[in-house]
Amino acid sequence: QLLCGSTDPDPAQHGMTTDEERAASRCPQWPGTSQAVVPPNAGLKLFGGAAFERCLHEFQEAAHALRFPAAVATDRVANLLLAYKGRNAS
């Protein structure tokens, strides 16, 4: 039930903000990122499914902040990814 969403128990008492989650995980920032990754609702105390969704948003933002190595041409990577997406869209 917690993954589906619930207000019981109280999120203010049992939830965590993004900074609190990072402190608990001992990972102050995403590896390989040089800029701060701040997901939507970072300051809200969330738990269960809401916290999981925020974590997914945070991962997506961290992935977008990463740079490809200079040896890999960005247009080649984009060409592969977009072609794959077009074949596997559902």
Coordinates of all heavy atoms in Angstrom, one line a residue:
Q1 N 0.8 -1.2 0.0 CA 0.0 0.0 0.0 C 0.9 1.3 0.0 O 0.5 2.3 -0.6 CB -0.9 0.0 1.2 CG -1.8 1.2 1.2 CD -2.8 1.2 2.4 OE1 -2.8 0.2 3.2 NE2 -3.6 2.2 2.5
L2 N 2.0 1.2 0.6 CA 2.9 2.4 0.7 C 3.4 2.8 -0.7 O 3.6 3.9 -1.0 CB 4.1 2.1 1.6 CG 3.8 2.1 3.1 CD1 5.1 1.8 3.8 CD2 3.2 3.3 3.6
L3 N 3.6 1.8 -1.6 CA 4.1 2.1 -3.0 C 3.0 2.7 -3.8 O 3.2 3.4 -4.7 CB 4.6 0.9 -3.6 CG 6.0 0.4 -3.1 CD1 6.4 -0.9 -3.8 CD2 7.0 1.5 -3.3
C4 N 1.7 2.4 -3.5 CA 0.6 3.0 -4.2 C 0.3 4.4 -3.8 O -0.4 5.1 -4.5 CB -0.6 2.1 -4.0 SG -0.5 0.5 -4.8
G5 N 0.7 4.8 -2.6 CA 0.4 6.1 -2.1 C -0.4 6.0 -0.8 O -1.4 5.3 -0.8
S6 N 0.0 6.8 0.2 CA -0.7 6.7 1.4 C -0.3 8.0 2.2 O 0.8 8.5 2.1 CB -0.4 5.5 2.2 OG -1.0 5.5 3.5
T7 N -1.2 8.4 3.0 CA -0.9 9.5 4.0 C -0.8 9.0 5.4 O -0.6 9.8 6.3 CB -2.0 10.6 3.9 OG1 -3.3 10.0 4.3 CG2 -2.1 11.3 2.6
D8 N -0.9 7.7 5.5 CA -0.8 7.1 6.9 C 0.3 6.0 6.8 O 0.1 5.1 6.0 CB -2.1 6.5 7.3 CG -2.1 6.1 8.7 OD1 -1.5 6.8 9.6 OD2 -2.7 5.0 9.0
P9 N 1.4 6.1 7.4 CA 1.8 7.1 8.4 C 2.1 8.5 7.9 O 2.2 8.7 6.7 CB 3.0 6.4 9.1 CG 3.6 5.6 8.0 CD 2.5 5.2 7.1
D10 N 2.2 9.4 8.8 CA 2.4 10.8 8.5 C 3.8 11.0 7.8 O 4.8 10.7 8.3 CB 2.4 11.6 9.8 CG 2.5 13.1 9.5 OD1 2.4 13.6 8.4 OD2 2.7 13.8 10.5
P11 N 3.7 11.5 6.5 CA 5.0 11.8 5.8 C 5.9 12.8 6.5 O 7.1 12.6 6.4 CB 4.5 12.4 4.4 CG 3.1 12.0 4.3 CD 2.6 11.9 5.7
A12 N 5.4 13.7 7.2 CA 6.2 14.7 7.9 C 7.0 14.0 9.0 O 8.1 14.4 9.3 CB 5.3 15.8 8.5
Q13 N 6.5 12.9 9.6 CA 7.2 12.2 10.6 C 8.1 11.1 10.1 O 9.1 10.9 10.6 CB 6.1 11.7 11.6 CG 6.8 11.0 12.8 CD 5.7 10.5 13.8 OE1 4.6 10.4 13.5 NE2 6.1 10.2 15.0
H14 N 7.6 10.4 9.1 CA 8.3 9.2 8.6 C 9.0 9.4 7.2 O 9.8 8.5 6.8 CB 7.4 8.0 8.6 CG 6.8 7.7 9.9 ND1 7.5 7.0 10.8 CD2 5.6 7.9 10.4 CE1 6.8 6.9 11.9 NE2 5.6 7.4 11.7
G15 N 8.7 10.5 6.5 CA 9.3 10.7 5.2 C 10.7 11.3 5.3 O 11.2 11.7 6.4
M16 N 11.3 11.4 4.2 CA 12.7 12.0 4.1 C 12.7 13.0 2.9 O 12.1 12.7 1.9 CB 13.8 11.0 4.0 CG 13.9 10.0 5.1 SD 15.0 8.7 4.8 CE 16.5 9.4 5.5
T17 N 13.5 14.1 3.1 CA 13.8 15.0 2.0 C 14.9 14.3 1.1 O 15.5 13.4 1.6 CB 14.2 16.4 2.4 OG1 15.5 16.2 3.1 CG2 13.2 17.0 3.3
T18 N 15.2 14.9 0.0 CA 16.3 14.4 -0.8 C 17.6 14.5 -0.1 O 18.4 13.6 -0.1 CB 16.4 15.2 -2.2 OG1 15.1 14.9 -2.9 CG2 17.5 14.7 -3.0
D19 N 17.8 15.6 0.6 CA 19.1 15.8 1.4 C 19.2 14.8 2.5 O 20.3 14.2 2.8 CB 19.2 17.2 1.9 CG 19.5 18.2 0.8 OD1 20.0 17.8 -0.2 OD2 19.2 19.4 1.1
E20 N 18.1 14.5 3.2 CA 18.1 13.5 4.2 C 18.4 12.1 3.6 O 19.1 11.3 4.3 CB 16.8 13.5 5.0 CG 16.6 14.7 5.8 CD 15.1 14.9 6.4 OE1 14.2 14.2 5.8 OE2 15.0 15.6 7.3
E21 N 17.8 11.8 2.5 CA 18.1 10.5 1.8 C 19.5 10.4 1.5 O 20.1 9.3 1.7 CB 17.2 10.3 0.6 CG 15.7 10.1 0.9 CD 14.9 10.1 -0.4 OE1 15.4 10.5 -1.4 OE2 13.7 9.8 -0.3
R22 N 20.1 11.4 0.9 CA 21.5 11.4 0.6 C 22.4 11.2 1.8 O 23.4 10.5 1.7 CB 21.9 12.7 -0.2 CG 21.3 12.8 -1.6 CD 21.7 14.0 -2.2 NE 21.1 14.1 -3.6 CZ 21.0 15.2 -4.2 NH1 21.4 16.3 -3.8 NH2 20.4 15.2 -5.4
A23 N 22.1 11.9 2.9 CA 22.9 11.8 4.1 C 22.8 10.3 4.6 O 23.8 9.8 5.1 CB 22.4 12.7 5.2
A24 N 21.6 9.7 4.5 CA 21.5 8.4 5.0 C 22.2 7.4 4.1 O 22.6 6.3 4.6 CB 20.0 8.0 5.1
S25 N 22.4 7.7 2.9 CA 23.0 6.8 1.9 C 24.5 7.1 1.9 O 25.3 6.3 1.2 CB 22.5 6.9 0.5 OG 22.8 8.1 0.0
R26 N 25.0 8.1 2.5 CA 26.4 8.5 2.5 C 26.9 8.8 1.1 O 28.1 8.6 0.8 CB 27.3 7.5 3.2 CG 27.0 7.4 4.7 CD 27.8 6.3 5.4 NE 26.8 5.3 5.7 CZ 27.0 4.0 5.4 NH1 28.0 3.6 4.8 NH2 26.0 3.1 5.8
C27 N 26.0 9.4 0.3 CA 26.4 9.8 -1.1 C 25.9 11.2 -1.3 O 24.8 11.4 -1.6 CB 25.7 8.8 -2.1 SG 26.2 9.1 -3.8
P28 N 26.8 12.2 -1.1 CA 26.4 13.6 -1.2 C 26.0 14.0 -2.6 O 25.2 14.9 -2.7 CB 27.7 14.3 -0.8 CG 28.8 13.4 -1.0 CD 28.2 12.0 -0.9
Q29 N 26.5 13.4 -3.6 CA 26.0 13.7 -5.0 C 26.2 12.5 -5.9 O 26.9 11.6 -5.5 CB 26.7 15.0 -5.5 CG 28.2 14.7 -6.0 CD 28.8 16.0 -6.6 OE1 28.5 17.1 -6.1 NE2 29.6 15.8 -7.6
W30 N 25.5 12.6 -7.0 CA 25.6 11.5 -8.0 C 27.0 11.4 -8.5 O 27.6 12.4 -8.9 CB 24.6 11.7 -9.1 CG 23.2 11.4 -8.7 CD1 22.4 12.3 -8.1 CD2 22.5 10.2 -8.9 NE1 21.2 11.7 -7.9 CE2 21.3 10.4 -8.4 CE3 22.9 9.0 -9.4 CZ2 20.3 9.3 -8.3 CZ3 22.0 7.9 -9.4 CH2 20.7 8.1 -8.8
P31 N 27.6 10.2 -8.6 CA 28.9 10.0 -9.2 C 29.0 10.5 -10.6 O 28.1 10.3 -11.4 CB 29.2 8.5 -9.1 CG 28.1 8.0 -8.2 CD 27.0 8.9 -8.2
G32 N 30.1 11.2 -10.9 CA 30.3 11.6 -12.3 C 29.6 13.0 -12.7 O 29.9 13.5 -13.7
T33 N 28.8 13.5 -11.8 CA 28.2 14.8 -12.1 C 28.9 15.9 -11.4 O 29.4 15.8 -10.3 CB 26.7 14.8 -11.6 OG1 26.7 14.6 -10.2 CG2 25.9 13.7 -12.3
S34 N 29.0 17.0 -12.1 CA 29.7 18.1 -11.6 C 28.8 19.2 -11.1 O 29.2 20.1 -10.3 CB 30.7 18.8 -12.7 OG 29.9 19.1 -13.8
Q35 N 27.5 19.1 -11.4 CA 26.5 20.1 -11.0 C 25.6 19.4 -10.0 O 25.4 18.2 -10.0 CB 25.8 20.7 -12.1 CG 25.0 19.6 -13.0 CD 24.5 20.2 -14.3 OE1 25.2 21.0 -14.9 NE2 23.4 19.8 -14.7
A36 N 24.9 20.2 -9.2 CA 23.9 19.7 -8.2 C 22.7 19.1 -9.0 O 22.2 19.7 -9.9 CB 23.5 20.8 -7.3
V37 N 22.3 17.9 -8.6 CA 21.1 17.3 -9.1 C 20.0 17.5 -8.1 O 20.0 17.0 -7.0 CB 21.3 15.8 -9.4 CG1 20.1 15.2 -9.9 CG2 22.5 15.6 -10.4
V38 N 19.0 18.3 -8.5 CA 17.9 18.6 -7.6 C 16.6 18.2 -8.2 O 16.1 18.8 -9.2 CB 17.8 20.1 -7.2 CG1 16.7 20.4 -6.3 CG2 19.1 20.6 -6.7
P39 N 16.0 17.1 -7.8 CA 14.7 16.6 -8.4 C 13.5 17.4 -8.0 O 13.6 18.1 -7.0 CB 14.6 15.1 -7.9 CG 15.3 15.2 -6.5 CD 16.4 16.2 -6.7
P40 N 12.4 17.3 -8.7 CA 11.2 18.0 -8.2 C 10.8 17.5 -6.8 O 11.0 16.3 -6.5 CB 10.1 17.5 -9.2 CG 10.9 17.0 -10.4 CD 12.2 16.5 -9.9
N41 N 10.3 18.4 -6.0 CA 9.9 18.1 -4.6 C 11.0 17.7 -3.7 O 10.8 16.9 -2.8 CB 8.8 17.1 -4.7 CG 7.6 17.5 -5.5 OD1 7.1 18.7 -5.3 ND2 7.2 16.7 -6.4
A42 N 12.2 18.1 -4.0 CA 13.4 17.7 -3.2 C 13.2 18.0 -1.7 O 13.7 17.3 -0.9 CB 14.7 18.3 -3.7
G43 N 12.6 19.1 -1.4 CA 12.4 19.6 0.0 C 11.3 18.9 0.7 O 11.1 19.2 1.9
L44 N 10.4 18.2 0.0 CA 9.3 17.5 0.7 C 9.7 16.2 1.3 O 10.5 15.5 0.8 CB 8.1 17.3 -0.3 CG 7.5 18.5 -1.0 CD1 6.4 18.1 -1.9 CD2 7.0 19.5 0.1
K45 N 9.1 15.9 2.5 CA 9.3 14.6 3.1 C 8.4 13.6 2.5 O 7.2 13.7 2.6 CB 9.1 14.7 4.6 CG 10.1 15.6 5.4 CD 9.9 15.5 6.9 CE 11.0 16.2 7.6 NZ 12.1 15.3 8.0
L46 N 9.0 12.7 1.8 CA 8.2 11.6 1.1 C 8.7 10.3 1.5 O 9.8 10.1 2.0 CB 8.4 11.8 -0.4 CG 8.0 13.1 -1.1 CD1 8.4 13.1 -2.6 CD2 6.6 13.5 -0.9
F47 N 7.8 9.3 1.3 CA 8.2 7.9 1.6 C 7.4 7.0 0.6 O 6.5 7.5 -0.1 CB 7.9 7.5 3.0 CG 6.5 7.5 3.4 CD1 5.7 6.3 3.3 CD2 5.9 8.6 3.9 CE1 4.3 6.3 3.6 CE2 4.5 8.6 4.3 CZ 3.8 7.5 4.1
G48 N 7.8 5.7 0.5 CA 7.1 4.8 -0.3 C 7.2 5.1 -1.8 O 8.2 5.5 -2.3
G49 N 6.0 5.0 -2.5 CA 6.0 5.2 -3.9 C 6.3 6.6 -4.3 O 7.0 6.8 -5.4
A50 N 6.0 7.6 -3.5 CA 6.3 9.0 -3.8 C 7.8 9.2 -3.8 O 8.4 9.9 -4.7 CB 5.6 9.9 -2.9
A51 N 8.5 8.7 -2.8 CA 9.9 8.8 -2.7 C 10.6 8.0 -3.9 O 11.6 8.5 -4.4 CB 10.4 8.2 -1.4
F52 N 10.0 6.9 -4.2 CA 10.6 6.1 -5.3 C 10.5 6.9 -6.6 O 11.4 7.0 -7.4 CB 9.8 4.8 -5.5 CG 10.3 3.9 -6.6 CD1 11.6 3.3 -6.5 CD2 9.6 3.7 -7.7 CE1 12.0 2.5 -7.5 CE2 10.0 2.9 -8.7 CZ 11.3 2.3 -8.7
E53 N 9.3 7.5 -6.9 CA 9.1 8.3 -8.1 C 10.1 9.5 -8.1 O 10.7 9.9 -9.2 CB 7.7 8.8 -8.2 CG 6.7 7.8 -8.6 CD 6.9 7.2 -10.0 OE1 7.3 7.9 -10.9 OE2 6.7 6.0 -10.2
R54 N 10.3 10.1 -7.0 CA 11.3 11.3 -6.9 C 12.7 10.8 -7.2 O 13.4 11.4 -7.9 CB 11.2 11.9 -5.5 CG 12.2 13.1 -5.4 CD 12.1 13.8 -4.1 NE 12.4 13.0 -3.0 CZ 12.1 13.3 -1.7 NH1 11.5 14.4 -1.5 NH2 12.4 12.5 -0.7
C55 N 13.0 9.6 -6.7 CA 14.3 9.0 -7.0 C 14.5 8.7 -8.5 O 15.6 9.0 -9.0 CB 14.5 7.7 -6.2 SG 16.1 7.0 -6.3
L56 N 13.5 8.3 -9.1 CA 13.5 8.0 -10.6 C 13.8 9.3 -11.3 O 14.6 9.4 -12.3 CB 12.3 7.3 -11.1 CG 12.1 5.9 -10.7 CD1 10.8 5.4 -11.2 CD2 13.2 5.0 -11.1
H57 N 13.1 10.4 -10.9 CA 13.3 11.7 -11.5 C 14.7 12.2 -11.3 O 15.4 12.8 -12.2 CB 12.3 12.8 -11.0 CG 10.9 12.6 -11.5 ND1 10.6 13.1 -12.8 CD2 9.8 12.1 -11.0 CE1 9.3 12.9 -13.0 NE2 8.8 12.2 -12.0
E58 N 15.2 12.0 -10.1 CA 16.6 12.4 -9.8 C 17.6 11.6 -10.6 O 18.6 12.2 -11.1 CB 16.8 12.1 -8.3 CG 18.2 12.6 -7.8 CD 18.4 12.5 -6.3 OE1 17.6 11.8 -5.6 OE2 19.4 13.0 -5.8
F59 N 17.4 10.3 -10.8 CA 18.3 9.5 -11.6 C 18.3 10.1 -13.1 O 19.3 10.2 -13.7 CB 17.9 8.1 -11.6 CG 18.6 7.2 -12.6 CD1 19.9 6.8 -12.3 CD2 18.1 6.9 -13.8 CE1 20.7 6.1 -13.3 CE2 18.8 6.2 -14.8 CZ 20.1 5.8 -14.5
Q60 N 17.1 10.4 -13.6 CA 17.0 10.9 -15.0 C 17.7 12.2 -15.1 O 18.5 12.4 -16.1 CB 15.5 11.1 -15.3 CG 15.3 11.4 -16.8 CD 13.9 11.5 -17.2 OE1 13.0 11.6 -16.3 NE2 13.6 11.3 -18.4
E61 N 17.6 13.1 -14.1 CA 18.3 14.4 -14.2 C 19.8 14.1 -14.1 O 20.6 14.8 -14.8 CB 17.8 15.3 -13.1 CG 16.4 15.8 -13.3 CD 16.0 16.9 -12.3 OE1 16.9 17.5 -11.7 OE2 14.8 17.0 -12.1
A62 N 20.3 13.2 -13.2 CA 21.7 12.9 -13.1 C 22.2 12.3 -14.4 O 23.3 12.7 -14.8 CB 21.9 11.9 -12.0
A63 N 21.5 11.5 -15.0 CA 21.9 10.9 -16.3 C 22.0 12.0 -17.4 O 23.0 11.9 -18.2 CB 20.9 9.8 -16.8
H64 N 21.1 12.9 -17.4 CA 21.2 14.0 -18.4 C 22.4 14.9 -18.1 O 22.8 15.6 -19.0 CB 19.9 14.8 -18.4 CG 18.8 14.1 -19.1 ND1 18.7 13.7 -20.4 CD2 17.6 13.6 -18.5 CE1 17.6 13.1 -20.7 NE2 16.9 13.0 -19.6
A65 N 22.8 15.0 -16.9 CA 23.9 15.9 -16.5 C 25.3 15.3 -16.9 O 26.3 16.0 -17.0 CB 23.9 16.2 -15.0
L66 N 25.3 14.0 -17.2 CA 26.6 13.3 -17.6 C 27.0 13.7 -19.0 O 26.1 13.9 -19.9 CB 26.5 11.8 -17.4 CG 26.3 11.3 -16.0 CD1 26.1 9.8 -16.1 CD2 27.4 11.7 -15.1
R67 N 28.3 13.8 -19.3 CA 28.8 14.0 -20.6 C 29.4 12.8 -21.2 O 30.0 12.0 -20.5 CB 29.8 15.1 -20.5 CG 29.3 16.4 -20.0 CD 28.6 17.2 -21.1 NE 28.1 18.5 -20.6 CZ 26.8 18.8 -20.6 NH1 25.9 18.0 -21.1 NH2 26.5 20.0 -20.2
F68 N 29.2 12.6 -22.5 CA 29.9 11.5 -23.1 C 31.4 11.8 -23.2 O 31.8 12.9 -23.3 CB 29.4 11.3 -24.6 CG 28.0 10.6 -24.6 CD1 26.9 11.3 -24.8 CD2 27.9 9.2 -24.4 CE1 25.6 10.6 -24.9 CE2 26.7 8.6 -24.4 CZ 25.6 9.3 -24.6
P69 N 32.2 10.7 -23.2 CA 33.7 11.0 -23.4 C 33.9 11.6 -24.8 O 33.2 11.4 -25.7 CB 34.3 9.5 -23.4 CG 33.2 8.7 -22.7 CD 31.9 9.3 -23.0
A70 N 35.0 12.4 -24.8 CA 35.3 13.2 -26.1 C 35.5 12.2 -27.2 O 35.3 12.6 -28.4 CB 36.5 14.0 -25.8
A71 N 36.0 11.0 -26.9 CA 36.3 10.0 -28.0 C 35.0 9.5 -28.7 O 35.1 8.9 -29.8 CB 37.1 8.8 -27.4
V72 N 33.8 9.7 -28.1 CA 32.6 9.3 -28.7 C 31.8 10.4 -29.3 O 31.6 11.4 -28.6 CB 31.7 8.6 -27.6 CG1 30.4 8.1 -28.2 CG2 32.4 7.4 -27.0
A73 N 31.6 10.4 -30.5 CA 30.8 11.5 -31.2 C 29.4 11.5 -30.8 O 28.7 10.4 -30.9 CB 30.9 11.3 -32.7
T74 N 28.9 12.6 -30.3 CA 27.5 12.7 -29.8 C 26.5 12.4 -30.8 O 25.5 11.8 -30.6 CB 27.3 14.1 -29.2 OG1 28.3 14.4 -28.2 CG2 26.0 14.2 -28.5
D75 N 26.8 12.8 -32.1 CA 25.8 12.5 -33.2 C 25.7 11.1 -33.4 O 24.6 10.6 -33.8 CB 26.1 13.3 -34.4 CG 27.5 13.1 -34.9 OD1 28.4 12.6 -34.2 OD2 27.8 13.5 -36.1
R76 N 26.8 10.3 -33.3 CA 26.7 8.9 -33.5 C 25.9 8.2 -32.4 O 25.0 7.3 -32.7 CB 28.1 8.3 -33.5 CG 28.9 8.7 -34.7 CD 30.2 8.1 -34.7 NE 30.0 6.7 -35.1 CZ 30.8 6.0 -35.9 NH1 31.9 6.6 -36.4 NH2 30.6 4.7 -36.2
V77 N 26.0 8.6 -31.2 CA 25.3 8.0 -30.1 C 23.8 8.4 -30.3 O 22.9 7.5 -30.1 CB 25.8 8.6 -28.7 CG1 24.9 8.1 -27.6 CG2 27.2 8.1 -28.5
A78 N 23.5 9.6 -30.6 CA 22.1 10.0 -30.8 C 21.5 9.2 -31.9 O 20.3 8.8 -31.8 CB 22.0 11.5 -31.1
N79 N 22.2 9.0 -33.0 CA 21.7 8.3 -34.1 C 21.3 6.8 -33.7 O 20.3 6.3 -34.1 CB 22.7 8.2 -35.2 CG 22.2 7.9 -36.6 OD1 21.0 8.2 -36.9 ND2 22.9 7.1 -37.3
L80 N 22.2 6.2 -32.9 CA 21.9 4.8 -32.4 C 20.7 4.8 -31.5 O 19.8 4.0 -31.6 CB 23.1 4.3 -31.7 CG 24.3 3.9 -32.6 CD1 25.5 3.6 -31.7 CD2 23.9 2.7 -33.4
L81 N 20.7 5.7 -30.5 CA 19.6 5.8 -29.6 C 18.2 6.0 -30.2 O 17.2 5.4 -29.9 CB 19.8 6.8 -28.5 CG 21.0 6.4 -27.5 CD1 21.2 7.6 -26.6 CD2 20.7 5.2 -26.8
L82 N 18.2 7.0 -31.1 CA 16.9 7.4 -31.8 C 16.4 6.3 -32.7 O 15.2 6.0 -32.8 CB 17.0 8.7 -32.5 CG 17.2 9.9 -31.5 CD1 17.5 11.1 -32.3 CD2 16.0 10.1 -30.7
A83 N 17.4 5.6 -33.4 CA 17.0 4.5 -34.2 C 16.4 3.3 -33.4 O 15.4 2.7 -33.8 CB 18.2 4.0 -35.1
Y84 N 17.1 3.1 -32.3 CA 16.6 2.0 -31.4 C 15.2 2.3 -30.8 O 14.3 1.5 -30.8 CB 17.6 1.8 -30.2 CG 17.1 0.8 -29.2 CD1 17.3 -0.6 -29.5 CD2 16.5 1.2 -28.1 CE1 16.8 -1.5 -28.5 CE2 16.0 0.3 -27.1 CZ 16.2 -1.1 -27.4 OH 15.8 -2.0 -26.5
K85 N 15.0 3.6 -30.4 CA 13.7 4.0 -29.9 C 12.6 3.9 -30.9 O 11.5 3.4 -30.6 CB 13.8 5.4 -29.4 CG 12.5 5.9 -28.7 CD 12.7 7.3 -28.2 CE 11.4 7.8 -27.5 NZ 11.6 9.1 -26.9
G86 N 12.9 4.2 -32.2 CA 11.9 4.1 -33.2 C 11.5 2.7 -33.5 O 10.4 2.4 -33.8
R87 N 12.4 1.7 -33.4 CA 12.1 0.3 -33.7 C 11.4 -0.3 -32.5 O 10.7 -1.3 -32.7 CB 13.4 -0.4 -34.0 CG 14.0 -0.2 -35.3 CD 15.1 -1.2 -35.6 NE 16.1 -1.4 -34.5 CZ 17.2 -0.7 -34.4 NH1 17.5 0.2 -35.3 NH2 18.0 -0.9 -33.5
N88 N 11.6 0.2 -31.3 CA 11.1 -0.5 -30.1 C 10.1 0.4 -29.4 O 9.8 0.2 -28.2 CB 12.3 -0.8 -29.2 CG 13.2 -1.8 -29.8 OD1 12.8 -2.9 -30.1 ND2 14.4 -1.4 -30.1
A89 N 9.5 1.3 -30.1 CA 8.4 2.1 -29.4 C 7.2 1.3 -29.2 O 6.8 0.4 -30.1 CB 8.1 3.3 -30.3
S90 N 6.5 1.4 -28.1 CA 5.3 0.7 -27.8 C 4.3 1.5 -27.2 O 4.5 2.5 -26.7 CB 5.6 -0.6 -27.0 OG 6.4 -0.3 -25.9

